[in-house]
Amino acid sequence: MKLTIDDVRSRFIKHFDGTTGNVYASPGRINLIGEHTDYNNGFVFPGAVEQGMIAEIKPNGTRIVRAYSIDLKDYVEFSLDDEKGPKATWARYIFGVCREMMALGVPVEGFNTAFAGDVPLGAGMSSSAALESCFAFACNDLWGDNKIEKMELARVGQRTEHKYVGCNCGIMDQFISALAEKDCAMLLDCRSQEPKSIPISDPSVSVLIANSNVKHALTGSEYPERRASCEEAARRLGCELLRDVSMETLLANKDKLIDEANGDRLFRRARHVVGEDARTLKMADALVVGDWKTVGEQMYASHDSLRDDFEVSCPEIDVLVEIARSIGPEGGVIGSRITGGGFGGCTVSLVKTDKVDEITRKYEEEYEKKTGIKPTIFSTRPAEGARVL
C-alpha cells in the first residue's frame, strides 16, 4: 500500500504538539543499467520510483532536532551544535545533512520531524539517499530561500554518507533522488557529474520491480574487493580509472590482467565495467528512438555480465531474470536485470503496462515454486525528485 501524507501527519501530530508543519518527499531509485560503473567514473542510468520518503518538518525555535522514525518506532534528539551528533545510524543521516547545509551557509534551526518510507529496506533502492535528499531539500526550503541548487543538494547527501555514516558511495543515488524529472530516467556521467534526462513517457511501458526478499550474508569485503580490482586493472593498463579504457584496448592488453594469483579475475572485472559503459550509452540511445528490442538486449547483457564477470548476482536473482526471459517480449517483458549492488535485492524489468498483472502472477508462481520464497512485486513509473507536497 502506497505511503500517504496522512500516514506521516497522524504520527507527527501524535508525537509533537498537535500542530502541523511542512511535508516533503523524495523518491527511491532503481538503476535501469550501469552497475558498478559509478566509482569507475563511468555512466549510470537510474530512474526515480514512486516509492520513497515522506517527512513532516516544523521549526521548534531551539537548536535541538527532535526526530521520530515511524518505520523504526524510534525517537532521537540531537543538538545542531554538537559536532559528534547522535549514535543511531538513521539519525546520523539527518544530522549530517543539517551540518552540511549549515556549512553551505544555510542557517538551519532546530525542528520537529516525523518521517516514513515505502522503499523496501535492503533492496538496493536507496532509501538512505531518499532520506538525505528529502531533508536537504527541506532545509533549503525552510531556511535557505531555495538558493542551493539541486545538484549541490545531491552532493550534500553524498558528503553525509562519507563523513557521518562511513559509506564511500558514488553520486548516483543522491543525484536521481534530488534531480529526477517525472517520466524520465537520468543518464549521468559520473566524471563530469552532468545529468541528462531521457524521456520514458510512453504510458504503455512500466517499470516492474521484483524484490527477491533475500540478502545474502557477506563478509564485508565484496564491495571493496570489486573496487580494488577495478583500480588495479586500470593501473596495469596505464589509466587512472576504467572509464578511460576502450574494449579494443582491454582485449589487446588482456595478458596484463592475467596472473597466477588472480587468474583472469581482473580481466573479467574490467570487461564488465568497460562493457557496461557501452551498454548504458547504447540503451539510452535506444530509448530515445523507442527501440525496445535493443533496450531489452542491453538489460539482459548487463545482467549476464554482472553474474559471470563481476560475480555479484545470486541464484534467487538469476531465477527472477530467467522467468523474465521465459515470458519474453510476446508476454510483455522487454528486458530485465539485477539492480543495485548485488548479492540479493531486486530485479528491474521494463514491461508492457497492460501485462503487469499477468506478469506479476507469473513471477509469484514461478519464483516461489523454484525458491520457496514469496517475492514482493510492484510496478512504478519514473517519478519526480525531491519536492514539497
Side-chain angles (χ1 to χ4, degrees):
M1 190 169 65
K2 187 166 175 55
L3 183 68
T4 68
I5 292 176
D6 289 341
D7 296 327
V8 174
R9 174 149 285 172
S10 62
R11 296 303 183 94
F12 183 86
I13 291 171
K14 176 181 177 181
H15 283 275
F16 297 107
D17 59 5
T19 61
T20 59
N22 290 0
V23 181
Y24 300 89
S26 192
R29 70 102 182 98
I30 44 85
N31 195 22
L32 293 172
I33 197 168
E35 218 70 73
H36 290 278
T37 50
D38 55 347
Y39 51 84
N40 289 285
N41 266 3
F43 294 91
V44 292
F45 196 39
V49 297
E50 292 167 328
Q51 294 72 17
M53 200 69 61
I54 296 178
E56 183 148 8
I57 300 173
K58 182 181 180 184
N60 59 28
T62 73
R63 299 294 294 164
I64 303 298
V65 172
R66 303 182 177 99
Y68 179 69
S69 168
I70 296 170
D71 299 324
L72 298 176
K73 297 181 175 62
D74 194 16
Y75 175 80
V76 168
E77 289 187 7
F78 61 83
S79 169
L80 291 169
D81 302 318
D82 176 8
E83 293 187 3
K84 292 183 178 179
K87 291 182 179 179
T89 300
W90 67 263
R92 291 194 65 77
Y93 287 107
I94 302 173
F95 172 72
V97 166
C98 292
R99 295 284 295 187
E100 289 301 306
M101 292 298 288
M102 290 161 63
L104 291 174
V106 176
V108 180
E109 299 175 4
F111 56 88
N112 301 336
T113 183
F115 67 94
D118 53 1
V119 179
L121 297 177
M125 294 178 65
S126 298
S127 56
S128 59
L131 182 63
E132 293 153 4
S133 298
C134 187
F135 278 89
F137 184 92
C139 288
N140 193 33
D141 182 61
L142 289 168
W143 296 287
D145 295 326
N146 292 303
K147 290 179 181 176
I148 308 298
E149 294 185 355
K150 280 193 170 184
M151 287 181 69
E152 188 59 33
L153 296 182
R155 296 186 184 104
V156 163
Q158 185 189 32
R159 291 196 294 271
T160 294
E161 297 268 5
H162 291 184
K163 295 166 62 175
Y164 302 90
V165 185
C167 177
N168 189 28
C169 66
I171 194 65
M172 174 179 70
D173 297 350
Q174 289 79 12
F175 255 61
I176 190 65
S177 191
L179 280 79
E181 295 182 26
K182 186 175 175 59
D183 290 329
C184 292
M186 177 189 289
L187 179 63
L188 176 63
D189 182 337
C190 293
R191 168 177 284 163
S192 66
Q193 295 192 355
E194 292 179 6
K196 180 181 180 181
S197 291
I198 304 291
I200 308 181
S201 52
D202 186 345
S204 72
V205 176
S206 291
V207 178
L208 193 69
I209 310 298
N211 189 347
S212 66
N213 288 325
V214 298
K215 192 68 180 174
H216 287 277
L218 306 177
T219 63
S221 65
E222 286 80 6
Y223 178 85
E225 183 277 321
R226 299 307 187 280
R227 187 163 187 160
S229 292
C230 292
E231 291 169 353
E232 174 63 13
R235 186 191 67 78
R236 293 190 188 191
L237 294 170
C239 298
E240 182 181 358
L241 292 169
L242 289 174
R243 162 67 180 272
D244 301 310
V245 180
S246 68
M247 186 61 74
E248 183 180 25
T249 298
L250 176 64
L251 295 176
N253 292 275
K254 180 178 179 179
D255 59 315
K256 295 180 181 179
L257 302 181
I258 297 176
D259 57 40
E260 188 174 345
N262 294 288
D264 68 347
R265 179 170 57 88
L266 292 180
F267 170 73
R268 289 187 292 108
R269 300 290 190 260
R271 182 168 61 183
H272 165 71
V273 173
V274 174
E276 189 79 345
D277 273 339
R279 286 186 288 270
T280 301
L281 293 173
K282 192 171 183 178
M283 179 167 159
D285 288 342
L287 271 171
V288 169
V289 298
D291 180 359
W292 296 109
K293 181 176 183 291
T294 297
V295 167
E297 289 171 348
Q298 302 314 303
M299 292 182 78
Y300 285 125
S302 172
H303 179 79
D304 293 346
S305 179
L306 287 159
R307 180 192 64 208
D308 301 332
D309 279 354
F310 223 66
E311 298 178 292
V312 293
S313 190
C314 65
E316 295 87 354
I317 288 289
D318 293 340
V319 165
L320 285 169
V321 174
E322 288 311 308
I323 293 170
R325 286 189 208 262
S326 71
I327 297 171
E330 62 281 357
V333 177
I334 295 166
S336 185
R337 61 182 289 279
I338 187 173
T339 187
F343 308 103
C346 296
T347 62
V348 57
S349 306
L350 291 176
V351 303
K352 291 294 184 179
T353 303
D354 62 359
K355 297 283 189 179
V356 164
D357 291 343
E358 186 179 332
I359 294 168
T360 297
R361 285 194 297 272
K362 183 78 170 178
Y363 267 177
E364 290 172 341
E365 293 169 4
E366 292 294 319
Y367 183 71
E368 187 171 8
K369 184 192 303 181
K370 293 179 179 180
T371 66
I373 303 166
K374 290 185 177 182
T376 304
I377 300 170
F378 57 93
S379 63
T380 182
R381 291 281 306 160
E384 185 182 355
R387 61 202 182 278
V388 62
L389 295 180

